[in-house]
């Protein structure tokens, strides 16, 4: 990721409450400062420098806005780099609708290769879901696609649906957590 | 796991020093051997080859002008060619010379002493007095410096501590220490400014207090603006009047000048409460064999005119610090006053006007710094758990690049400890060393900044240009002291380094001085002299003392004060003063 995740350091997400940020900052410094960790000076200095850097940005409204903008640009890249889309097909006896849905699913994957045809990829996956609402990977891919585009609200909705249909989907949860940070200020 | 050994906090001031420790968790000042809470930062080497420190040294200053050193802090960590040094050189009665590498030396008798060593003598006296009071050996100390001190000045102060036999736990900034000492309601988050105007320096520091975390936002200052300059203004006024009246320039007479210096300092202090003072110096000099007396009356109004520009000058760092912190005076909850000079009504009015609020004077301005330093000592050895300091480096750190420009690597007001790495590569084939000149300051021209050193990274294996990469890491530790290391990126090996053009004592010189200090005895003034002097008037034992009391200077008249009646001339002194002026000036 091009930018460090300052929010992650504080485990606080936007919209940030300044009072909470200050309190967390104070706690983190007391935990990591070299004067409180005389036997781990090197580590303590690195940690403290990171915490100070993060606080300097997040506590200043102007710097925070700029940071948020830069991060949103990066997160699209990050979702792509870290998560990618899923290509697995339905693992059940397939009916006519299910086969049709899979066709759309695979077309969507093909369209997704080219950024200019993302709208078509989106259309394919939406069609797929209309046919088979339980098509987990289609929900997931849509979520990733929306994330790429910076539309985190819809990304969150899709990923939540993916988890609804497959509660053990670890990747969906991870992606959701990142996306939610930018929408609701909640963590999964 | 907290360290049980006693650690002290020392305010090594330009004019006065103070030491404190944590007594049962409460910061407390330790009185000196005379019972006062502050010790004048004065060192003397007498004709009998004795070392005197504090009031003892101050009291014989008039009869020993060349051997009595006050305000040595104005010279520590500086070079002889420094503009400020050139100015001060002619204003002090002791002789300033240069060492081989241009550092400052004071000529005492036939010896050349560094400011580090002279400061160490003050610290040694403090150490003695502390150990006498607490009844055990004390080694660990936190020593304070002005926030605006540069790397050389900090390193030199640390060296002074080492020479005196201390293990210097930390060098901390005076305004930050003072902030620690104020008993703030630690539940509230506050933004405060500390305005510290001492004997030789001015610091303005803006801090944010977050429930026990003291975080410095910005600091600015002037390392050559303080009480001494105010004394100078009064002296100048008197000298000019005397020349006009008698045609005699007292600057040529060290003894007269020293008496005048002490009179000016006393007048300055008295004018904080009196509306006018008399400056009386009988037998100040001889003209054609006849002794002349000096007697002038200085009103507060005239004094304020004399020093008006100095007071206005203190507002510049206030503005810069606020600007760097991105705040206005309204954003601040408190302004704290530290340093003896903040007792002056005009200074208080100016601060009140600028910050638009009543300054906070809860703690004694002479003791706050030492008390805070003792708290920091407690933080370091684990005894104080509910407070932490996050200080900053006051000056931008950078290197000289092509064309003599200054390229910033770590900007001023960066929180310390901090570090930054930069990649350098060779520019010529077979180049075996990479050189970097490191400086501190704010000027875009490297020449106008303070050179910390010329670093040569040697032993680079010969290779085509640009193929070898050296990663140079610049770090500033919690003391605000700079360290430079380098490593070969490809091999990961630490790079061999040669440093030159620095200030300060070499490792060998420092070791020698540490050893020499072990054998040094600091005397008390001989009994005879002591009896002739009455105890300084208006002083309280074991509590805060007006730090500049001296029985040798006349008191104001008509001010209704209960200060001493006039200059006390002992038999010795009178004989001395009636000597031929030619004899005395060649002491």
């Amino acid at each position: 990721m091009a930018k460090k995740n300052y929010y992650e350091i504080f485990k606080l997400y936007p919209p940030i409450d300044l009072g909470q940020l200050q309190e967390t900052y104070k706690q983190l410094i007391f935990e990591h400062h070299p004067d409180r960790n005389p036997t781990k000076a090197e580590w303590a200095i690195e940690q403290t420098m990171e915490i100070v850097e993060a606080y300097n940005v997040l506590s200043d409204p102007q710097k925070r806005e700029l940071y948020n903008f830069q991060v949103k640009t990066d997160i699209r890249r990050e979702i792509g780099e870290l998560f990618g889309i899923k290509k697995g097909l339905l693992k059940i006896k397939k009916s006519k609708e299910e086969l049709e849905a899979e066709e759309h699913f695979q077309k969507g994957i093909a369209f997704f290769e080219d950024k200019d045809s993302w709208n078509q990829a989106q259309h394919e996956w939406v069609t797929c879901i209309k046919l088979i609402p339980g098509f987990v990977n289609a929900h997931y891919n849509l979520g990733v696609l929306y994330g790429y585009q910076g539309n985190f609200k819809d990304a969150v909705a899709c990923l939540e649906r993916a988890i609804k249909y497959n509660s053990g989907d670890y990747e969906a949860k991870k992606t959701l957590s990142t996306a939610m940070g930018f929408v609701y200020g909640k963590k999964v | 796991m907290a360290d049980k050994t006693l650690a002290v906090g020392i305010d090594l001031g330009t004019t006065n020093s103070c030491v404190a420790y944590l007594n049962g968790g409460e910061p407390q000042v330790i009185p000196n051997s005379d019972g006062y809470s502050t010790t004048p930062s004065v060192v003397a080497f007498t004709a009998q080859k004795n070392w005197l420190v504090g009031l003892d040294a101050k009291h014989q200053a008039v009869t020993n002008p060349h051997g009595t050193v006050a305000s040595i802090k104005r010279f520590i960590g500086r070079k002889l060619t420094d503009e400020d040094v050139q100015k001060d050189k002619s204003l002090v009665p002791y002789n300033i010379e240069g060492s081989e590498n241009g550092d400052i030396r004071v000529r005492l008798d036939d010896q050349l002493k560094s400011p580090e060593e002279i400061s160490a003598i003050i610290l040694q006296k403090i150490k003695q007095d502390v150990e006498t009071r607490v009844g055990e050996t004390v080694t660990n100390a936190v020593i304070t410096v002005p926030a605006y001190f540069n790397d050389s000045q900090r390193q030199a102060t640390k060296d002074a501590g080492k020479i005196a036999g201390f293990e210097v736990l930390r060098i901390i900034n005076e305004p930050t220490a003072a902030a620690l000492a104020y008993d703030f309601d630690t539940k509230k988050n506050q933004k405060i400014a500390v305005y510290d105007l001492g004997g030789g320096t001015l610091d303005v520091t803006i801090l944010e207090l977050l429930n026990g975390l003291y975080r410095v936002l910005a600091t600015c200052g002037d390392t050559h603006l303080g009480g001494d300059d105010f004394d100078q203004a009064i002296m100048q006024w008197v000298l000019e009047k005397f020349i006009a009246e008698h045609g005699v320039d007292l600057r040529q007479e060290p003894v007269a000048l020293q008496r005048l210096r002490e009179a000016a300092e006393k007048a300055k202090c008295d004018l904080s409460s009196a509306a006018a003072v008399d400056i009386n110096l009988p037998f100040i000099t001889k003209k054609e064999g006849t002794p002349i007396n000096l007697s002038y009356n200085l009103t507060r109004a005239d004094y304020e005119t004399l020093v008006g520009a100095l007071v206005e000058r203190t507002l510049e760092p206030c503005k810069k610090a606020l600007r760097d912190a991105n705040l206005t005076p309204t954003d601040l909850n408190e302004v704290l006053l530290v340093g003896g000079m903040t007792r002056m009504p005009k200074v208080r009015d100016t601060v009140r006007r600028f910050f638009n609020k009543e300054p906070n004077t809860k703690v004694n301005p002479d003791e706050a710094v030492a008390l805070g330093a003792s708290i920091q000592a407690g933080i370091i050895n684990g005894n104080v758990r509910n407070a932490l300091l996050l200080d900053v480096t006051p000056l931008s750190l950078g290197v000289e690049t092509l064309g003599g420009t200054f390229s910033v690597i770590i900007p001023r007001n960066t929180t310390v400890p901090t570090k930054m790495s930069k990649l350098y590569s060779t520019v010529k084939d077979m180049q075996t060393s990479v050189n970097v000149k490191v400086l501190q300051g704010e000027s875009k021209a490297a020449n106008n900044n303070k050179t910390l050193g010329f670093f040569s990274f040697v032993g680079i294996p010969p290779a085509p240009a640009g193929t070898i990469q050296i990663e140079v890491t610049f770090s500033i530790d919690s003391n605000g002291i700079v360290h430079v290391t380098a490593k070969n990126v490809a091999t990961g090996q630490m790079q061999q380094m040669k440093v030159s053009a620095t200030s300060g004592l070499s490792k060998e010189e420092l070791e020698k001085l540490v050893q020499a200090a072990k054998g040094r005895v600091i005397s008390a003034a001989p009994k005879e002299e002591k009896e002739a002097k009455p105890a300084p008037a208006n002083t309280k034992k074991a509590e805060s003392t007006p730090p500049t009391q001296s029985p040798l200077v006349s008191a104001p008249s008509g001010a209704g004060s209960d200060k001493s009646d006039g200059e006390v001339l002992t038999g010795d002194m009178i004989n001395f003063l009636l000597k031929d002026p030619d004899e005395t000036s060649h002491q």
Side-chain angles (χ1 to χ4, degrees), chain B residues 6 72 134 182 317-318 323 351 491 511 529 542 568:
Chain B
L6 190 63
I72 191 64
V134 302
Y182 279 76
C318 295
R323 212 182 306 142
V351 171
T491 66
E511 237 342 279
E529 269 185 52
V568 175

Side-chain angles (χ1 to χ4, degrees), chain A residues 19 22-23 25-26 29-30 33-36 38 42 45-46 48-49 52 55-56 59-60 62, chain B residues 170 189 208 210-213 215 326 376 379-380 384-390 415 417-419:
Chain A
Q22 285 176 335
E23 185 52 42
Y25 178 59
K26 183 230 153 170
I29 295 285
F30 266 76
H33 195 266
D35 283 348
R36 304 278 287 210
E42 276 289 328
I45 292 174
E46 303 268 349
T48 305
M49 279 179 69
V52 168
Y55 182 76
N56 283 345
S59 61
D60 178 316
Q62 269 186 315
Chain B
R170 184 70 50 84
N189 290 344
E208 182 178 34
L210 296 174
N211 198 5
L213 179 64
R215 173 183 170 239
N326 214 1
Q376 177 65 23
I379 293 173
I380 292 173
V384 175
R385 312 281 304 165
N386 62 351
L388 253 192
L389 235 50
L390 270 183
T415 302
T418 189
K419 59 183 179 184

Side-chain angles (χ1 to χ4, degrees), chain B residues 212-291:
Chain B
L213 179 64
Y214 293 75
R215 173 183 170 239
V216 175
L217 300 175
T219 191
C220 193
D222 190 331
T223 54
H224 197 262
L225 173 57
D228 284 358
D229 301 290
F230 288 70
D231 296 344
Q232 274 302 320
I234 296 177
M235 279 178 73
Q236 201 52 35
W237 177 80
V238 170
L239 287 167
E240 278 163 23
K241 280 181 83 98
F242 200 77
I243 292 178
E245 197 180 323
H246 300 283
V248 176
D249 184 1
L250 292 174
R251 272 175 292 224
Q252 308 307 319
E253 300 176 34
V255 175
L257 204 57
Q258 182 59 30
R259 289 175 67 194
L260 176 55
R261 190 173 288 113
E262 290 178 15
E265 194 192 346
K266 177 136 202 308
K268 171 189 76 178
C269 295
D270 291 343
L271 283 169
S272 286
S273 41
V277 296
D278 284 329
I279 300 175
N280 276 328
L281 296 168
F283 312 130
I284 190 72
T285 187
K286 279 193 201 164
K287 191 175 172 185
E288 283 140 22
T290 331

